[in-house]
Amino acid sequence: MATKEDIRSSRRLQRRTLAPEQILAAGEAIAQHGVAWAETISPGPAATYAVYVGVAFEPPTLPLIEALHKAGHRVLLPVCEPGRQLSWVYWTPATLFVRSAYAPIDEPEGERLESSVIAAIAGIFMPATAVDRDGNRIGQGGGYYDRLLQGLDASGQRPPTIAVVYDDDLLPSGSIPAEAFDRPVREVLTPSGVVRLDDTAGTV
């Protein structure tokens, strides 16, 4: 079995072959399917979702963020903190971004909320480099989201969680080695739709 780093490197190389128009189309499709998923789990017409800003060759998520906002939902974006912890800032179209002190990304400015806020939201859109059909996920290697999910799982307050990848990043069962600290996902959001890993024939 390939190591996580081998898989991460391979997927990153594959993503770099995508043309700008393919990336743009992926972002638009992810927004459409992501809002549909959000509305299936929303406790009401105005719910809160945790999202992230896809950068470089990651699946674009800004169209999803904007679509959720347009639909009347609130969006929390992550900020990297010491000890591989995350805090969260509410996004609006006026939100400004600054370079992170801990990761090669831009992060939102604004009041930072502790991760305990995530326990009460409607759902989490998570970054991933790859996911296999067992639900094992490879992130960017920082471990921020595994720590977040570990805390939510321990408290029994984990909201519905979906990993965002390109279609080719969904790998066959057994492709990704699982470690004790890993937290699997049960749904994956791709440009082609939502894949439920407990029923991989179903997409929306």
Side-chain angles (χ1 to χ4, degrees):
M1 178 184 294
T3 67
K4 285 186 176 181
E5 192 52 47
D6 289 339
I7 297 169
R8 187 179 290 116
S9 297
S10 173
R11 299 320 306 164
R12 285 174 175 168
L13 287 172
Q14 175 63 31
R15 288 177 172 187
R16 290 190 179 97
T17 67
L18 295 172
E21 58 269 23
Q22 291 176 294
I23 296 173
L24 179 63
E28 293 173 351
I30 284 169
Q32 176 185 349
H33 297 303
V35 169
W37 178 81
E39 291 178 349
T40 66
I41 64 169
S42 172
T48 301
Y49 295 90
V51 197
Y52 68 98
V53 178
V55 298
F57 293 94
E58 290 183 314
T61 57
L62 186 56
L64 170 62
I65 292 166
E66 292 171 341
L68 288 168
H69 179 79
K70 185 177 180 180
H73 302 298
R74 302 186 76 186
V75 175
L76 285 165
L77 298 182
V79 175
C80 297
E81 302 286 4
R84 301 189 184 277
Q85 301 295 320
L86 294 173
S87 62
W88 300 86
V89 173
Y90 280 107
W91 178 90
T92 74
T95 297
L96 299 177
F97 287 80
V98 296
R99 199 64 172 173
S100 171
Y102 300 100
I105 57 173
D106 291 335
E107 298 174 327
E109 286 189 317
E111 180 185 0
R112 297 185 183 185
L113 306 174
E114 294 183 355
S115 278
S116 56
V117 70
I118 300 300
I121 69 173
I124 306 171
F125 293 87
M126 289 181 57
T129 304
V131 180
D132 71 14
R133 288 187 176 270
D134 299 314
N136 296 313
R137 166 188 163 274
I138 296 178
Q140 297 296 340
Y144 288 92
Y145 278 86
D146 285 320
R147 287 175 181 265
L148 172 68
L149 295 185
Q150 185 176 26
L152 292 169
D153 288 344
S155 67
Q157 295 179 304
R158 176 173 167 180
T161 304
I162 192 166
V164 183
V165 295
Y166 290 107
D167 293 299
D168 291 345
D169 297 328
L170 181 55
L171 307 179
S173 295
S175 296
I176 297 176
E179 300 177 69
F181 57 82
D182 289 333
R183 290 297 180 268
V185 295
R186 295 265 54 88
E187 294 184 283
V188 178
L189 172 59
T190 77
S192 293
V194 173
V195 180
R196 300 183 180 89
L197 299 179
D198 54 353
D199 178 14
T200 53
T203 60
V204 298

